[in-house]
Amino acid sequence: MITRTVSKNPRTTRGDLVNDLQRAGTKVTKATISNTLRHQGLKSYSARRVPLLKPVHVQARLKFAREHLDDPEEDWENVIWSDETKIELFGKNSTRRVWRRKNAELHPKNTIPTVKHGGGNIMLWGCFSAKGPGRLIRVKERMNGAMYREILSDNLLPSARALKMKRGWVSQHDNDPKHTARATEWLRKKHFKSSQFGLQPIKDSTNKFKLKM
């Protein structure tokens, strides 16, 4: 019963199990429950926090991974990834524990989905590549297409130069409307080639802009 219960709901606590067994007429201690689960290969871990993904996002990520599974390593060394995110300054951020086996930390039952919202936060934009991190800046106003284009000009291009990216480096980011519409227009005016495909590893999907510098 103990193993079956935590396999169905890994967030079940030892206290929950003690109470369930007592109602069924069996008295056990929390130590006994821990030992029983360890014998079954289950141990208590902090639940891994992961982005909240819809089925369409999962399929897009699988599609991206399959399409680029055999890409040579040097291709990825020529990519700069960029994104913006909100970091909450206040709010509940308590740790939840789950019973799981080793190397099962990313199973959906063992994770806590998170979303990027809430009061008391700051927004950051940053970029990185295999060569190292690029610039990280604070976005003080509401992000729109014009501001995003300015960020690319003031921070992405200098980052590429500082990282000594090779000719033909690629800027990788998601399909947020302020990215696709404004960024594509800006890049084309700069005489850069652009193309799209389905996924970005941080968010839902990806734009791929090939930059000939």
Side-chain angles (χ1 to χ4, degrees), residues 1-7 16-17 19-21 24:
M1 174 184 172
I2 295 175
T3 304
R4 184 170 62 252
T5 299
V6 299
S7 295
D16 293 334
L17 292 168
N19 294 333
D20 290 344
L21 289 168

Side-chain angles (χ1 to χ4, degrees), residues 3 18 23 51 56 67 131 133 145 159 173:
T3 304
V18 167
R23 284 192 290 267
V56 65
E67 288 177 349
K131 299 177 183 294
S159 293
H173 57 134

Side-chain angles (χ1 to χ4, degrees), residues 1 6 30 46 54 56-57 67 88 96 102 109 112 136 147 157 159 161 168 181-182 209:
M1 174 184 172
V6 299
K30 291 182 179 180
S46 296
K54 297 178 180 179
V56 65
H57 301 156
E67 288 177 349
E88 294 188 19
R96 296 289 300 274
K102 189 177 180 180
K109 285 186 177 181
I112 299 176
L136 178 67
M147 180 183 295
L157 300 184
S159 293
R161 288 192 289 269
R182 299 293 186 178
F209 296 98

